[in-house]
Amino acid sequence: MRSEELLKKYDPFHLGQGNYPTEMSAILVLLTIHDQVSPLATAIGSVFEESFGEQPDQQELTLLATNLLLCEDSCEL
């Protein structure tokens, strides 16, 4: 699965898949900066906090960051 597809399916605040275009664009940029799970998860959480005033669950962020980095290793962005 490509990073973009993974992000389209991610719906942390139950707004419906694909309803986070600004956040998803920011996360794709973060993938070019971070290559470790913890810093990426923290940065992703900050993106959502800036937009929604809260962050998704830390476990959820860690799982997303892990999957994105795994995908980045096996997929082209």
Side-chain angles (χ1 to χ4, degrees), residues 35-63:
D35 61 357
Q36 295 183 356
V37 173
S38 184
L40 179 58
T42 299
I44 292 170
S46 295
V47 167
F48 283 104
E49 185 162 5
E50 186 175 313
S51 293
F52 297 96
E54 63 180 303
Q55 294 189 11
D57 177 71
Q58 188 59 43
Q59 259 187 315
E60 206 175 294
L61 291 171
T62 300
L63 181 60

Side-chain angles (χ1 to χ4, degrees), residues 3 6-7 10 24 27 37 40-41 44 48 58-70:
S3 298
L6 185 64
L7 287 171
Y10 186 61
M24 299 310 151
I27 292 168
V37 173
L40 179 58
I44 292 170
F48 283 104
Q58 188 59 43
Q59 259 187 315
E60 206 175 294
L61 291 171
T62 300
L63 181 60
L64 178 62
T66 301
N67 288 334
L68 286 169
L69 290 172
L70 287 172

Side-chain angles (χ1 to χ4, degrees), residues 4 13 15 22 45 51 61 76:
E4 294 89 349
F13 298 113
L15 300 176
T22 304
S51 293
L61 291 171
E76 289 184 30

Side-chain angles (χ1 to χ4, degrees), residues 7-8 29 53:
L7 287 171
K8 283 181 186 174
V29 170

